[in-house]
Amino acid sequence: MTPAVHLEEVVKQFGDFTAVDHITLDVAQGEIFGFLGPNGAGKSTTIRMLCGLLRPTSGRGFVNGLDMTTQAERIKASLGYMSQRFSLYDDLRVEENMQLFGGIYGLGSVYLRKRIEEILELISLKERRDSITRELPTGLKQRLALGCALLHRPPMVFLDEPTSGVDPATRRAFWDLIYSLADEGVTIFVTTHYMEEAEYCNRIGLIDKGRLIALGSPGELKDKHLSGTVYEVRVSDVLAGVETLKGTKGVLDAAIFGRSLHVRLNKEEAAKQFLEPVFVSAGIEMRELRAVEPTLEDVFVALVGKKHE
Ligand SMILES: Nc1ncnc2c1ncn2[C@@H]1O[C@H](COP(=O)(O)OP(=O)(O)O)[C@@H](O)[C@H]1O
Ligand SMILES: [Mg+2]
């Protein structure tokens, strides 16, 4: 089957600056693929190339078999794209935004009327169809932006940080929506900087400074890049704690996670006996220590040497 996305050594330069640096990548039909990385990593630039909005400087790319450089117009017409700043019209009503987008996609009025009802149902916005878009809370605007990107039944949607700036419950509700699309066979290419969201994807690519630094399922990435055991450690001073650990031989990685530290040690190390003297000699009190399930943030730390925010 033709892959949904096929990129070969794709580069995007803005002047001397390389925003996307030789990315090679395949996404299969029906996958939920996540692009994960810090701000400025090159996520949006990659998506904009994939959507036919930006030409690559070099390399080759295909979306559903269409060539990114020569068939950009066809790509644009066949995809759903939810941009990082949703391109909704704030002073229009919910339904009017949908009519406008439907018109841009060239949908006939009878079809569009029916499709708008389906989408309003899908995104649970029936009650708010007459609301002025500006007055919607961010979480509902996000759903409307997704709804608008789905009007023409695209086989694939690109969602650029669709859930930024909303609370975890709203994010989870949005992911329920993503899963129901995936159930219908829609391929999803989503960017995020929320680690827990990356765990919801079938496969993810970790991107940093324009380069793809890891690719695989969340489980594969952890198996491949996280040897040893990850511990959560509560100490009297996290900043001093992390600095101390970074200079300590035998510590594979150390980073601040909320009010604790994550420390990765070789499996053989007896963690308590190993860490306690290290902290004591630095004047830091170790209050609690437990082995934890590693997260993708731990993978990022292992690959880049620091947390990604
Ligand atoms: N049109 C542009 N001109 C110059 N630099 C750009 C342009 N678009 C993006 N960049 C730069 O490219 C890098 C990657 O940006 P972007 O793809 O938006 O990152 P992300 O979406 O991962 O936060 C950033 O350093 C950004 O400032
Ligand atoms: Mg971006």
Side-chain angles (χ1 to χ4, degrees), residues 12-64:
K12 180 67 196 180
Q13 285 181 310
F14 295 111
D16 292 342
F17 177 74
T18 306
V20 172
D21 194 359
H22 295 89
I23 288 193
T24 296
L25 175 72
D26 274 291
V27 176
Q29 298 286 348
E31 243 187 324
I32 302 179
F33 183 82
F35 223 24
L36 179 68
N39 275 334
K43 303 182 296 296
S44 295
T45 305
T46 305
I47 279 205
R48 293 176 62 216
M49 287 191 283
L50 286 166
C51 292
L53 300 169
L54 207 58
R55 265 180 86 92
T57 309
S58 64
R60 303 200 311 156
F62 299 86
V63 180
N64 286 321

Side-chain angles (χ1 to χ4, degrees), residues 268-282:
E268 312 76 67
E269 301 286 2
K272 191 157 189 285
Q273 284 88 322
F274 176 82
L275 289 173
E276 213 150 37
V278 172
F279 286 127
V280 166
S281 65

Side-chain angles (χ1 to χ4, degrees), residues 44-92:
S44 295
T45 305
T46 305
I47 279 205
R48 293 176 62 216
M49 287 191 283
L50 286 166
C51 292
L53 300 169
L54 207 58
R55 265 180 86 92
T57 309
S58 64
R60 303 200 311 156
F62 299 86
V63 180
N64 286 321
L66 299 171
D67 189 321
M68 242 162 50
T69 41
T70 58
Q71 294 175 295
E73 288 309 314
R74 281 186 62 194
I75 291 180
K76 261 188 267 183
S78 66
L79 291 176
Y81 170 51
M82 177 174 162
S83 77
Q84 198 167 349
R85 325 170 172 197
F86 330 121
S87 31
L88 297 170
Y89 290 85
D90 257 356
D91 47 354
L92 294 185

